[in-house]
């Protein structure tokens, strides 16, 4: 037993409340989608919808293949060259895209790969005229690889670093070449984690909204989520939006099921604990160095371009822009409230299952304890844009889409961050309770005294990590805001998107710099030193 009787009652009530809030909120949106689908008698799966579905899967497949194929040599080079100058900062650089809003990254990609970008300027010097178009499939692939190549490389590097050092000593004694080392040592490790990494990247690309909305080339380059937005905001066709929403749920459900089939990779073998020493590093120094430098340039160039373009903006004029003030205040208020709500919902999800494991747990406690972990990942099955679509239809039926939009977006953003928050808090709480729970209970330290003197000092770092990342995710979100966006309700991402759409590039660059700096300040201090740097869906 790890909780006192009063604590168990409080946790049981909190778990029931969290379960009810999430189910009612997502259920109401789903019910409204079902109602509209029934009213329309079932909209036909016309050629446009099939084309959108095919493009969604095509771009996700190509993005995944490019990210994985490029991540393998990057991870191998970083694993081999452990003494490479600046290696620790290059690994930390791979964390930056995780905390960067997609819209800010899109602007950086345009600065590098766009019509007037650095790449086309260099190619024009070689005699080619605008050989790279950043809009359409090519731009979507570049942006997805920018986000997911560092993520995949980081996962694969972590797997390679877990190889017992004795393997490398044996490979040197046997005189193995590079091909033999890859085939007999590295590939078996990579193969075990590759399905999970590829599945994660594929799902992130298949549910991508902001990058496709910004870099898509019209109807020929539209994903399901972007088509939902267009059906509601431009075509005023709820029937098509509902059909697309259920198609998106079907896609995400299938992806989650396929990812679950692979399970977790097995643990590595026993090791004597020697320091890792790669004896093959010297003969691969030149090629590995080239790979690392190219990876660094690809990752750092859009970030540097965003900073350079942002610093050239007229901050004096932006500083007195009342619309920017309102957008900044709205974004900060929504992100702070959503982070608080996400952490509040995550605590019962983490603790109630532990309560349900005790022998004297009642039936209600056990049911709640089994349901809460699944509810914590419900937003992976029903994406934020789909939930926002349902609530847009709910509020539209009562004529209050603008008035209640901030509250709805706050809850959607809280649910969007929930898988990440749970992933951060669950292992930290599990370890902490195993060390302190019985002793605290035997000493009679319970309730607020336990929280203040025992729990908070030990769990402060994971709590702040989860809160900061949840706030950054909400701050940079455009998906739910795009469904409700209007003149009377504007956030920083929506204002940035509006300025980009109206070709006010200087203002857009300045706003992007402000938004990017705020999000990175929230995420970098925790992710630079913390191991938990995965995206919300990484637990899959």
């Amino acid at each position: 037993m790890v909780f006192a009787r009063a604590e168990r009652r409080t946790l049981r009530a909190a778990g029931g409340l969290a379960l009810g809030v999430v189910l009612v909120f997502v259920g109401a949106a789903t019910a409204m989608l079902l109602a509209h689908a029934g009213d329309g008698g079932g909209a036909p799966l016309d050629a446009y919808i099939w084309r959108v579905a095919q493009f969604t899967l095509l771009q996700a497949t190509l993005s995944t293949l490019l990210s994985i194929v490029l991540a393998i040599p990057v991870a191998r080079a970083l694993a081999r060259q452990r003494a490479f100058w600046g290696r620790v900062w290059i690994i930390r650089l791979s964390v930056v895209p995780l905390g960067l809003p997609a819209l800010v990254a899109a602007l950086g990609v345009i600065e590098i790969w766009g019509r007037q970008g650095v790449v086309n300027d260099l190619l024009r010097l070689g005699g080619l005229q605008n050989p790279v178009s950043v809009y359409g499939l090519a731009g979507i692939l570049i942006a997805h690889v920018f986000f997911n190549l560092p993520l995949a490389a980081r996962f694969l590097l972590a797997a390679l670093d877990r190889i017992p050092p004795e393997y490398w000593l044996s490979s040197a004694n046997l005189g193995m070449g590079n091909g033999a080392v890859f085939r007999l040592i590295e590939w078996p490790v990579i193969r075990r984690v590759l399905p999970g990494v590829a599945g994660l990247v594929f799902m992130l690309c298949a549910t991508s909204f902001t990058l496709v909305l910004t870099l898509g080339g019209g109807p020929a380059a539209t994903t399901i989520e972007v088509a939902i937005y267009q059906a509601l905001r431009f075509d005023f066709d709820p029937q098509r939006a509902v059909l697309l929403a259920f198609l998106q749920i079907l896609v995400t459900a299938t992806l989650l099921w396929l990812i679950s089939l692979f399970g977790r990779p097995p643990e590595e073998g026993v090791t004597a604990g020697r320091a890792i020493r790669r004896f093959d590093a010297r003969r691969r120094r030149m090629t590995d160095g080239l790979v690392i430098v190219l990876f660094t340039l690809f990752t750092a160039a859009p970030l540097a371009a965003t900073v350079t373009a942002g610093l050239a903006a007229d901050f004096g004029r932006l500083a007195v822009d009342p619309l920017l003030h309102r957008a900044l205040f709205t974004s900060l208020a929504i992100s702070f409230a959503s982070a608080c709500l996400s952490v509040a919902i995550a605590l019962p999800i983490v603790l109630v299952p532990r309560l349900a494991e005790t022998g004297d747990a009642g039936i209600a406690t056990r049911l709640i304890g089994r349901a809460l972990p699944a509810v914590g990942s419900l937003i992976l099955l029903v994406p934020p844009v789909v939930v926002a679509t349902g609530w847009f239809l709910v509020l539209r039926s009562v004529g209050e889409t603008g008035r209640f939009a901030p509250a709805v977006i706050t809850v959607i953003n809280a649910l969007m961050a929930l898988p990440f928050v749970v992933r951060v808090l669950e292992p930290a709480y599990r370890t902490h309770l195993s060390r302190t729970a019985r002793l605290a209970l035997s000493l009679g330290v319970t309730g607020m005294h336990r929280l203040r003197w025992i729990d908070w000092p030990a769990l402060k770092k994971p709590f702040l990590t989860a809160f900061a990342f949840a706030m950054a995710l909400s701050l940079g979100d455009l998906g739910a805001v795009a469904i409700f966006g209007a003149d009377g309700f504007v956030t920083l991402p929506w204002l940035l998107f509006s300025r980009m759409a109206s070709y006010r590039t200087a203002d857009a660059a300045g706003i992007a710099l402000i938004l990017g700096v705020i999000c990175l300040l929230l995420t970098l201090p925790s992710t630079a030193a913390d191991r938990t740097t995965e995206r919300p869906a990484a637990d899959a």
Side-chain angles (χ1 to χ4, degrees), residues 11-252:
L11 284 175
R12 186 164 50 245
L17 180 62
L19 182 64
V21 167
V22 176
L23 289 181
V24 168
F25 188 82
V26 178
T30 306
M32 180 56 71
L33 293 175
L34 287 170
H36 275 73
D39 291 342
L45 290 172
D46 55 22
Y48 170 75
I49 293 178
W50 280 118
R51 188 166 63 248
V52 168
Q54 290 171 2
F55 180 81
T56 300
L57 298 178
L58 172 65
Q59 60 85 21
T61 301
L62 294 177
S63 298
T64 302
L65 287 175
L66 287 172
S67 299
I68 296 299
V69 168
L70 295 175
I72 291 176
V74 170
R76 294 184 67 208
L78 288 171
R80 262 194 302 259
Q81 305 301 327
R82 307 187 68 82
F84 190 85
W85 183 85
R87 178 180 183 271
V88 64
W89 292 106
I90 294 172
I91 294 175
R92 290 181 178 180
L93 175 67
S94 67
V95 181
V96 173
L98 303 180
L100 197 67
L103 198 56
V104 176
L107 189 63
V109 169
I110 293 173
E111 291 288 339
I112 296 297
W113 298 88
R115 182 181 298 273
Q116 303 299 325
V118 176
V119 171
N120 277 327
D121 287 345
L122 293 176
L123 292 176
R124 275 193 290 268
L125 291 177
L128 299 176
Q129 293 298 319
N130 297 330
V132 177
S133 174
V134 76
Y135 296 102
L137 179 60
I140 294 171
L141 295 180
I142 292 171
H144 279 162
V145 173
F146 168 76
F147 269 108
N148 296 305
L149 168 60
L151 177 69
R154 195 170 175 85
F155 276 122
L156 297 179
L157 175 61
L160 293 174
D161 282 345
R162 289 194 297 267
I163 296 177
E166 292 81 7
Y167 284 31
W168 306 119
L169 182 61
S170 298
S171 69
N173 291 334
L174 295 173
M176 288 186 181
N178 181 60
V181 167
F182 176 73
R183 187 176 67 258
L184 300 176
I185 299 178
E186 292 178 321
W187 176 244
V189 174
I190 293 174
R191 185 179 57 196
R192 287 197 293 267
V193 300
L194 199 58
V197 176
L200 168 62
V201 173
F202 189 92
M203 184 166 182
L204 293 172
C205 296
T207 57
S208 177
F209 174 77
T210 303
L211 292 177
V212 180
L213 181 64
T214 307
L215 300 174
T222 298
T223 57
I224 297 174
E225 293 200 0
V226 174
I228 294 172
Y229 163 75
Q230 293 171 342
L232 283 180
R233 301 298 300 180
F234 296 111
D235 301 333
F236 248 6
D237 190 351
Q239 302 300 327
R240 172 165 289 183
V242 169
L243 181 61
L244 289 165
F246 282 113
L247 183 60
Q248 182 66 60
I249 292 175
L250 177 63
V251 170
T252 52

Side-chain angles (χ1 to χ4, degrees), residues 317-523:
R317 183 163 55 82
L318 287 176
V320 297
D321 186 351
L323 189 58
L324 177 60
H325 297 166
R326 188 163 76 246
L328 178 60
F329 175 79
T330 301
S331 292
L332 291 176
I334 289 177
S335 61
F336 182 82
S338 67
C340 291
L341 181 60
S342 188
V343 172
I345 297 176
L347 282 176
I349 294 176
V350 170
L351 295 176
V352 173
R354 293 295 301 266
L355 182 64
E357 294 171 359
T358 59
D360 59 344
I363 296 178
T365 303
R366 293 178 183 177
L367 290 176
I368 295 173
R370 292 174 182 175
L372 278 173
V375 167
S377 300
L378 187 61
I379 200 66
L380 300 178
L381 176 62
V382 188
V385 170
V386 175
V387 179
T389 301
W391 274 98
F392 177 84
L393 297 175
V394 171
L395 298 179
R396 180 171 171 265
S397 64
V398 297
E400 294 287 355
T401 55
R403 182 178 177 184
F404 294 104
V408 172
I409 292 173
T410 297
V411 180
I412 292 175
N413 288 348
L415 297 180
M416 178 181 65
L418 191 57
F420 171 83
V421 175
V422 170
R423 179 164 174 80
V424 173
L425 295 182
E426 198 276 333
Y429 245 115
R430 183 175 62 244
T431 302
H432 174 69
L433 289 177
S434 66
R435 293 174 178 174
T436 65
R438 295 184 182 276
L439 179 59
L441 193 60
S442 65
L443 294 175
V445 182
T446 61
M448 294 302 298
H449 294 291
R450 174 173 169 172
L451 177 63
R452 179 181 179 184
W453 299 111
I454 299 178
D455 293 345
W456 178 248
L459 298 172
K460 178 170 61 176
K461 182 177 179 180
F463 261 100
L464 293 179
T465 298
F467 184 88
F469 214 102
M471 191 171 175
L473 285 175
S474 175
L475 196 64
D477 175 64
L478 181 65
V481 176
I483 300 296
F484 291 93
D487 293 336
F489 174 69
V490 60
T491 62
L492 276 181
W494 181 250
L495 180 62
L496 172 57
F497 178 73
S498 300
R499 297 290 168 87
M500 291 175 64
S502 59
Y503 299 101
R504 298 172 64 177
T505 55
D507 287 353
I511 297 171
L513 181 60
I514 295 172
L515 179 59
V517 167
I518 295 174
C519 290
L520 291 180
L521 287 176
L522 286 170
T523 58

Side-chain angles (χ1 to χ4, degrees), residues 248-321:
Q248 182 66 60
I249 292 175
L250 177 63
V251 170
T252 52
T254 304
L255 291 176
L256 288 173
W257 175 71
L258 291 175
I259 292 172
S260 68
L261 294 179
F262 296 104
R264 292 181 178 273
E267 297 293 334
E268 302 298 334
V270 178
T271 174
R274 295 187 178 95
I276 296 176
R277 183 182 177 189
R278 294 292 299 264
F279 298 93
D280 55 344
R282 179 173 297 180
R283 62 176 180 263
R284 300 287 299 177
R285 186 173 298 169
M286 292 297 295
T287 54
D288 286 346
L290 178 61
V291 169
I292 294 172
V293 168
L294 291 176
F295 167 72
T296 304
L297 288 175
F298 179 79
T299 306
L303 304 176
T306 301
V307 173
T308 302
L311 292 175
D314 187 355
F315 282 100
R317 183 163 55 82
L318 287 176
V320 297
D321 186 351

